[in-house]
Amino acid sequence: HKFRKKGLMDFDFKATAWYQTIRNEARDFKYQLLKFFLLASISVFSGMILYGLLAEKPGQTALYALSAALSAVSLILLGRFRKIRPIVYLILGVSLLGIEYSLLVGSPSRFYLVLCVLFPIMALLLRGTFKGSLWYAGALATVCAAWVLQFAGLTLPWARPLRFADFATALSASFVVYILTFWAERRHERMVDRLTDILVFDDATGLPNKDVLVHSISGEHSYLFAIIKIENFSDLVALFGYEFSETISQFASQKLRKYEARFGYRTYQLKYNEYGLLIETPTVRTVVESAQILSEIVKSLEIESLPWESDRIRLVFRVGGCVVRPGEGGNPLSRADVALKKAERGHSAITIYEDDNTEKKSAYDYVIKFTELITNRENDSFKAVFQPVFKNNGTDIAWYEALLRIRRQDGTYESIYPYLNVAKSTGFYQYLTDFIIRKSAEAICEFDVDVSVNISIHDIVRPEFIQQVDEAYEMIKEKRGRIIFEILESDELVEL
């Protein structure tokens, strides 16, 4: 009911891990409660059977024996099949019949215990506050009907009449127990309700999260799915402070919601600066059609800017999308994320995923290279080699160029060059520079020759690099050989 009110008509929440956890916990609680109730019932009825035998009351003894047998069978069925709902209906239904029987046929004194203590608690704990209240109302109706029948004289001759004082006392006690149990169970339901909000909706924006998105895509329909990213989010947070991040997220989510009806999409919160847009389409869209739809959405979003003090700030959006066909396997989030990464590398605003393996191969190659970098550092298997640089006469060596080699998984060594982009993007690059400077200094100490080392702007602006240079100088200052720094050309260096 909550999800329908919030427009999540296609959300298959029963397939989520959190729902299964809550459901299993609730089922286990009911199972333990039923098991305890049935064991207690067997114990009580066994005592009543013994009392009936000693008091020589065969009629009541047979009734208690039947009740004990019914409880025992229910307990066996519960343990064997763990079918909770039928046992719940059986216990509550038999309890109502027992109440009516105790009033119209037998002594009503045992009815007080069931009505005042047991039935309201069992009904609310096993069926919840709404359905449990209906069962309790049924119990009250049963009691009132029995009292009316007794008052009209329509009971068996040997039945003990229920006095009005007893009737009023029983109802009052049961109502007090009902109120207390209802309050406790309602509080539990509100806690579950709040937990559901935390698990399903983003706290800052109120948007449904990734879990909702994944379980809202039906295999019978076609969709256009896109990840829309605020590209300048990190720059704005660095400029205006961390507190500004929530303001950006709330502004972006409001604008995305604003255009939901116009473009027919549903918005989901994926990350702090990424949103998912899901559009159900009557037919499968082409790449061109999909790009056009997303372009219109982005243009609408870029019209409005974020007010901040006396200024207005425009958000920059980048989009990666994919077409989801009926019955198509695979996770659309992964495909849209691949398209988004391709858009970032190609400096384009919108990219639609096309079914090729280029991006997957690139991502896989990135992971393998990073793994090999980590493995070489852990095993200390990097190697420095020194290539002679000749003078223009072709015979004399001017100096040696230090080159870094990395050990691959098959045991062979390869140039570090193909790994440099991965090293720079993962913060590993500085380790490579420090390693080659240290090895160059060791080579100078051993052979007393000049050695050149390649460095970049990333090294020059790093304070730890200067410290590494000082340490290398302390090692070679008594030698004639020196380290030659060869500064690599780059766009950043030229601009600086």
Side-chain angles (χ1 to χ4, degrees), residues 248-280:
I248 300 172
S249 298
Q250 290 175 347
F251 175 80
S253 64
Q254 289 171 4
K255 298 310 164 190
L256 285 165
R257 279 177 167 171
K258 178 180 178 181
Y259 297 106
E260 282 184 341
R262 180 192 297 183
F263 295 104
Y265 62 79
R266 179 78 195 185
T267 312
Y268 302 86
Q269 186 82 44
L270 302 182
K271 296 180 183 177
Y272 54 90
N273 65 332
E274 290 185 9
Y275 304 87
L277 305 184
L278 185 64
I279 307 173
E280 184 177 340

Side-chain angles (χ1 to χ4, degrees), residues 57-68:
K57 297 181 177 180
Q60 291 188 10
T61 303
L63 179 63
Y64 296 142
L66 178 64
S67 300

Side-chain angles (χ1 to χ4, degrees), residues 31-101:
Y31 175 79
Q32 299 298 335
L33 184 66
L34 286 171
K35 188 167 70 171
F36 174 80
F37 171 79
L38 291 171
L39 287 172
S41 298
I42 294 172
S43 300
V44 171
F45 288 133
S46 298
M48 298 304 295
I49 292 171
L50 181 61
Y51 168 77
L53 292 173
L54 294 176
E56 297 182 350
K57 297 181 177 180
Q60 291 188 10
T61 303
L63 179 63
Y64 296 142
L66 178 64
S67 300
L70 184 62
S71 298
V73 171
S74 299
L75 182 62
I76 293 171
L77 292 175
L78 180 66
R80 177 68 178 84
F81 300 104
R82 294 185 72 92
K83 295 293 185 181
I84 295 177
R85 182 170 295 183
I87 302 299
V88 168
Y89 290 148
L90 177 65
I91 289 176
L92 294 180
V94 170
S95 298
L96 287 179
L97 292 175
I99 291 172
E100 192 72 22
Y101 180 86

